[in-house]
Amino acid sequence: MASTVKQEVSPFLDPGSLTKANSLAVIQLSRDNFVPVYLKQIDGEHDGYAEGAVLNTRFGSFPHSTLIGVPWGSQIRASKVDTGSRGRKRKRQGGDDATEGASSEANESKNQKSDQANADSANGTKPPLATDTSGFVHVLPPTPEIWTTSLPHRTQVVYTPDYSYVLYRLRAKPGSTIIEAGAGSGSFTHASVRAVYNGYPSEGKRAGKVVSFEYNEERYHKMQEELQEHGLKDIVHLTHRNVYKDGFLLNGKSPEADAVFLDLPAPWEALHHLSRRDPKKDDGNQTEWISPLHPKKSAHLCTFSPCIEQVTKTVSVMRRLGWIDIEMVEIANRRLHTLRDRVGLNLQVDRGVNNSPRDVEEALTRLTEIEDRFREQARPPKAAGEDTEMGEDGSVKQEDPAEDPALNGKPKSEAPKPGPKFPWQDGRLITRGEPEIKTHTSYLVFATLPIEWTEEDEAAAAAKYPVGEQKQVVGALDRKSRKEERREQLQNKAAGSRKTRKKERDEKIAEIVTPS
């Protein structure tokens, strides 16, 4: 009996609760700065670091060992790493003898550290890394949204506001098959995989998949590597092909797609491959036609074009090929940030603060402080023979705060204390738009290609939903037949009217009451 090997799920589909070695993680450096990292569990020196693989950022160094086995979303502090001889140059001090002596001392020190590390590893007590004060990062699970903002750009990227609306209009759901032409950087590919995923392919089960096509060979190989590293190769079928010429079939078979997304410079040149029947059959082409679309489902199509001229040509070809419900949509996404407009003279070091008095009381307090400071500076110096009271440490002793004229002779304990501070006292809520909009002008054209309705389908529908015993089409009766039908309806209505029923009831009551 053959043993079945359990398929390891991609971190994009099920990342789990903890980070794992040899898997993808996204390191968040700041609010909009993400770095994808493949975590490596390396024991010993790597790339000049004694701690193994290390991620270097402007917030410090982060060994991969501190990023593995922690819950997603954890805050990781920077570590003090030992660079060893990485980047160092030998310094010649006094000739070859001095150099050889320094080299032997360095080798001896290195051997001692290596022996100590081996002893710690043998005892199973590896010393923890010392944290640094340079900063921290957050480790996040890979999602299509985060991957879109951190992926290496090879082409123009389809951002989250666009692909989320596209997948909604394409009716993408678990178990669907999506054709994607123009894989590019893989942003839409990762999002569509998550939308159609309902398990990995197995015998007797139709699993959701993405059939992707890429014309550029370099981008094709790079995309293949990413799918392999992300664990998506079994769900995404990537092909290097010119779809304008060769179409969307896989080894001569139909992928039976129910959704199509075309991110091409000239999508109208590929539309003739997306038909129910051969559009060139009238030209004498008698070859057998295989449609890449699902024969029992309506196909939903979306084209992604940056120019209105491309949209015009695409819509013209769609109408000739029988596509219906054609609609063009432009998405303009802009994030709005809500914050409180903080106002006050005591918030000078805070960013984005309006340095003006919050109220009249704060303004008077600030003016009083300025006048006291000016009065202190303008006070004449003491006479030459006048003693100055000194403290025990030799500094000039300060005056008693209780004698401060600002307190009007009152003790310090009776000074007015500030009242409770409420959040709304920091200022009113305001909304500001983001300074940089991460999107680009694009026109989305949506269309639907219904399934073909044959005579066999008509007969099956008539048998399943019978109209009645009437053999002719409703509304095709002659005038005489319609008059007779109307007369019968009126007679039945009169027989069943309220007056008729009341008359019959009165007659029955009269028969019972009248003595025989």
Side-chain angles (χ1 to χ4, degrees):
M1 182 176 179
S3 60
T4 58
V5 180
K6 186 178 180 181
Q7 175 70 43
E8 185 176 356
V9 183
S10 168
F12 280 88
L13 305 175
D14 185 12
S17 58
L18 302 177
T19 60
K20 296 180 294 185
N22 302 322
S23 182
L24 177 66
V26 179
I27 307 301
Q28 183 183 21
L29 303 180
S30 60
R31 177 178 162 182
D32 295 323
N33 191 2
F34 301 90
V35 178
V37 177
Y38 295 94
L39 302 180
K40 301 177 181 179
Q41 186 69 48
I42 299 177
D43 295 331
E45 185 177 350
H46 176 74
D47 195 21
Y49 291 99
E51 292 77 10
V54 176
L55 171 66
N56 291 310
T57 68
R58 60 191 179 98
F59 298 105
S61 299
F62 300 87
H64 287 201
S65 58
T66 62
L67 304 173
I68 297 175
V70 298
W72 293 109
S74 299
Q75 183 188 90
I76 309 298
R77 302 286 302 183
S79 301
K80 295 181 179 179
V81 300
D82 180 17
T83 59
S85 59
R86 186 175 186 270
R88 296 181 180 177
K89 295 182 179 180
R90 295 183 178 180
K91 297 182 179 180
R92 298 182 176 274
Q93 298 178 357
D96 296 339
D97 296 338
T99 303
E100 291 178 0
S103 177
S104 60
E105 291 178 0
N107 292 334
E108 184 178 356
S109 175
K110 185 176 181 180
N111 292 334
Q112 292 177 357
K113 292 182 179 179
S114 178
D115 295 340
Q116 181 65 30
N118 294 334
D120 294 336
S121 300
N123 297 331
T125 58
K126 191 172 183 179
L129 297 175
T131 58
D132 200 353
T133 59
S134 56
F136 60 87
V137 296
H138 290 89
V139 55
L140 304 178
T143 63
E145 292 78 14
I146 299 178
W147 179 249
T148 299
T149 60
S150 60
L151 57 80
H153 286 212
R154 297 184 289 271
T155 57
Q156 190 68 271
V157 174
V158 182
Y159 287 98
T160 301
D162 293 323
Y163 69 61
S164 58
Y165 183 74
V166 169
L167 292 172
Y168 161 72
R169 292 293 300 268
L170 292 180
R171 279 75 166 176
K173 58 184 181 297
S176 300
T177 300
I178 297 180
I179 289 179
E180 177 197 18
S185 300
S187 174
F188 183 82
T189 307
H190 287 76
S192 56
V193 164
R194 184 182 59 181
V196 304
Y197 173 72
N198 64 337
Y200 282 84
S202 60
E203 186 177 356
K205 178 183 178 182
R206 178 180 172 85
K209 63 180 179 180
V210 178
V211 182
S212 182
F213 298 90
E214 176 57 47
Y215 173 71
N216 185 277
E217 186 174 0
E218 183 179 355
R219 292 197 295 265
Y220 162 75
H221 291 296
K222 186 61 180 177
M223 186 70 181
Q224 244 186 351
E225 294 177 4
E226 289 182 353
L227 295 176
Q228 180 68 30
E229 294 171 345
H230 299 171
L232 300 174
K233 195 172 183 180
D234 294 335
I235 307 177
V236 180
H237 191 287
L238 184 64
T239 305
H240 176 225
R241 181 185 299 175
N242 181 5
V243 295
Y244 296 150
K245 179 180 178 182
D246 301 327
F248 303 92
L249 300 182
L250 300 177
N251 299 325
K253 297 181 180 180
S254 172
E256 296 185 353
D258 45 19
V260 182
F261 178 70
L262 301 181
D263 187 5
L264 302 172
W268 60 89
E269 296 185 8
L271 287 177
H272 65 277
H273 295 289
L274 300 170
S275 301
R276 300 291 182 185
R277 57 182 63 184
D278 191 357
K280 300 180 180 180
K281 190 174 182 180
D282 298 336
D283 299 338
N285 187 3
Q286 301 297 330
T287 58
E288 183 181 359
W289 171 258
I290 301 177
S291 175
L293 306 178
H294 198 288
K296 299 299 181 181
K297 295 182 181 179
S298 297
H300 301 280
L301 170 69
C302 175
T303 63
F304 188 89
S305 303
C307 302
I308 197 66
E309 292 81 7
Q310 296 171 320
V311 173
T312 303
K313 295 181 181 180
T314 302
V315 171
S316 178
V317 176
M318 283 181 176
R319 289 173 176 170
R320 291 201 302 266
L321 294 177
W323 292 82
I324 62 174
D325 297 337
I326 302 175
E327 181 185 5
M328 187 193 76
V329 177
E330 180 183 7
I331 297 178
N333 177 71
R334 187 182 185 188
R335 291 188 300 179
L336 299 177
H337 307 306
T338 303
L339 65 157
R340 193 172 291 280
D341 187 16
R342 305 180 64 189
V343 180
L345 296 174
N346 58 335
L347 302 173
Q348 299 179 5
V349 297
D350 292 350
R351 183 179 180 184
V353 172
N354 185 4
N355 290 323
S356 59
R358 184 185 296 107
D359 48 24
V360 177
E361 183 179 358
E362 186 176 6
L364 293 176
T365 303
R366 184 60 181 272
L367 289 175
T368 303
E369 294 177 358
I370 295 175
E371 289 179 358
D372 293 343
R373 192 181 303 113
F374 176 76
R375 194 179 297 112
E376 181 70 22
Q377 294 177 356
R379 180 180 301 175
K382 293 184 178 183
E386 190 175 356
D387 295 335
T388 302
E389 189 175 359
M390 305 296 292
E392 296 180 357
D393 56 351
S395 60
V396 179
K397 187 176 181 181
Q398 301 294 332
E399 297 180 356
D400 188 1
E403 300 176 359
D404 192 351
L407 299 177
N408 298 325
K410 297 181 180 180
K412 187 176 181 181
S413 59
E414 298 182 8
K417 298 182 180 180
K421 188 176 181 181
F422 300 98
W424 58 83
Q425 292 179 343
D426 284 339
R428 59 190 177 88
L429 288 176
I430 59 175
T431 303
R432 295 176 181 174
E434 59 180 342
E436 181 183 359
I437 302 177
K438 288 190 175 182
T439 183
H440 50 81
T441 304
S442 60
Y443 301 104
L444 305 175
V445 181
F446 297 95
T448 304
L449 186 64
I451 61 175
E452 287 188 334
W453 195 253
T454 61
E455 295 181 358
E456 291 78 5
D457 296 331
E458 181 70 25
K464 187 175 182 179
Y465 306 101
V467 178
E469 297 179 355
Q470 188 175 7
K471 297 182 179 180
Q472 298 184 10
V473 180
V474 178
L477 299 176
D478 55 4
R479 183 177 298 179
K480 184 178 179 181
S481 300
R482 286 200 298 271
K483 285 185 177 181
E484 293 178 357
E485 184 179 356
R486 181 61 177 169
R487 190 179 296 111
E488 292 178 359
Q489 292 177 356
L490 292 176
Q491 290 177 357
N492 295 333
K493 183 177 180 181
S497 62
R498 184 183 301 176
K499 292 181 179 180
T500 303
R501 291 195 301 270
K502 185 178 180 181
K503 184 178 180 180
E504 293 178 354
R505 186 171 61 252
D506 294 342
E507 291 177 354
K508 290 182 181 180
I509 293 174
E511 291 177 358
I512 296 173
V513 175
T514 303
S516 56

